[in-house]
Amino acid sequence: MTNPVMNFLALALYFIVGGLLGLRLMRGQVVTGGAKIGIFSLGLGAVVLHAALLYASLWAAGGLNLALTPAFSLIAWVVAVLYLATSLIRPVDNLGVLIMPVAGLTLLAEWLWPGHMSLALTSSVSAAHIIVSVLAYSLLCLAAVQSLMLLMQERHLHGKHPGGFIRALPPMQTMESVMFQMIGLGFILLTLTLISGVFFSEAFFGQPFKFTHHIVLSVLAWIVYAILLIGRWRLGWRGRPAIHWTLGGFALLLLAYFGSKFVLEVLLQRG
């Protein structure tokens, strides 16, 4: 059951936060002081409303509703929460220009096209697998958005256009450091996701390994991130190579879960 008023308020707050951050970015203004507190408060209001709406839509009679649009909405909510929490200790405020409006769009999609696919939580292992996988996807999504900001920053600097929104961004070295911290933690969680997925698959399919597009693409993404981290550690990768590998790994993860769900639920009409 949807709540139009709560949906509208959450959407409005998400887009207001994205708009305010966008205006400050265009003007080259760093988000600090009262502006930071105000924007953070609006963002917090958005994720609290979003959480209440998710609670109502995710818990189905037979278990957890992880159809396409509720799953998208859940991931976007976790990304938004991690973004707000990270913005308190790291200079990542400008990532909200993309993260907050996209979170609002996923909420809108769930509102307009609610899906239903009940997944029974048969054990603590299955619950842990879902929680760890959502955190892994969300952290690596944050890293991908950070890499897009890095790419824009690099292009402006190489094009000798250091003005404009570049003034609102931290130094590239700082942004790269934050990005690799996100990737490192996300990689650990992705590793745990793949390991716990063995037991999760056994509980649902009766066999440890069920080779699906989801599993194959997830393993390929893990390999891409492993190569990226080794390249950073051993060869000092940075700049565009690091950005391209980050985006490549996330694209594989996106296809692994949401690509397969889109094909099954939308194109093939299977629950």
Side-chain angles (χ1 to χ4, degrees):
M1 184 175 179
T2 60
N3 187 318
V5 174
M6 287 179 65
N7 272 285
F8 179 78
L9 286 175
L11 282 170
L13 288 173
Y14 272 129
F15 285 113
I16 288 170
V17 171
L20 290 173
L21 288 170
L23 285 174
R24 295 187 70 87
L25 189 61
M26 290 170 60
R27 294 170 181 168
Q29 297 174 335
V30 179
V31 183
T32 56
K36 186 180 181 76
I37 294 172
I39 291 172
F40 179 87
S41 299
L42 292 172
L44 185 61
V47 298
V48 168
L49 288 170
H50 194 164
L53 292 163
L54 274 174
Y55 183 82
S57 63
L58 284 179
W59 296 107
L64 197 62
N65 179 19
L66 286 180
L68 181 64
T69 52
F72 248 132
S73 184
L74 173 62
I75 294 289
W77 176 77
V78 175
V79 170
V81 170
L82 288 176
Y83 154 71
L84 288 174
T86 306
S87 70
L88 296 174
I89 56 175
R90 293 287 188 273
V92 297
D93 300 272
N94 292 305
L95 299 186
V97 171
L98 293 175
I99 290 169
M100 302 306 267
V102 170
L105 289 175
T106 64
L107 184 59
L108 179 62
E110 185 193 0
W111 184 13
L112 298 178
W113 300 285
H116 298 282
M117 189 200 77
S118 182
L119 181 65
L121 298 179
T122 56
S123 67
S124 58
V125 172
S126 59
H129 170 76
I130 292 172
I131 292 170
V132 172
S133 64
V134 167
L135 288 173
Y137 287 134
S138 301
L139 269 170
L140 293 170
C141 177
L142 269 179
V145 176
Q146 180 80 334
S147 72
L148 289 174
M149 284 289 182
L150 264 170
L151 185 62
M152 294 171 64
Q153 186 179 32
E154 188 193 48
R155 285 180 175 175
H156 273 72
L157 291 175
H158 284 178
K160 298 181 180 179
H161 300 294
F165 80 92
I166 294 298
R167 295 195 304 270
L169 297 177
M172 284 193 67
Q173 186 175 0
T174 301
M175 292 185 66
E176 281 186 343
S177 176
V178 172
M179 182 183 77
F180 275 102
Q181 288 172 8
M182 293 174 180
I183 293 172
L185 183 54
F187 178 76
I188 293 171
L189 293 175
L190 181 59
T191 304
L192 293 175
T193 299
L194 294 175
I195 294 171
S196 63
V198 173
F199 302 99
F200 185 73
S201 177
E202 192 167 20
F204 276 86
F205 304 112
Q207 60 187 65
F209 295 101
K210 186 175 176 66
F211 285 103
T212 62
H213 292 92
H214 170 71
I215 297 297
V216 172
L217 290 169
S218 296
V219 171
L220 287 175
W222 184 90
I223 292 171
V224 167
Y225 284 118
I227 293 172
L228 171 59
L229 290 172
I230 292 171
R232 172 73 170 183
W233 173 48
R234 300 292 294 178
L235 304 174
W237 283 3
R238 56 176 303 176
R240 292 199 180 187
I243 292 169
H244 292 158
W245 279 87
T246 301
L247 292 175
F250 183 68
L252 286 169
L253 274 185
L254 202 61
L255 287 173
Y257 189 70
F258 293 110
S260 59
K261 289 186 75 67
F262 178 81
V263 171
L264 287 173
E265 295 182 32
V266 178
L267 299 183
L268 299 180
Q269 298 292 310
R270 297 178 187 173

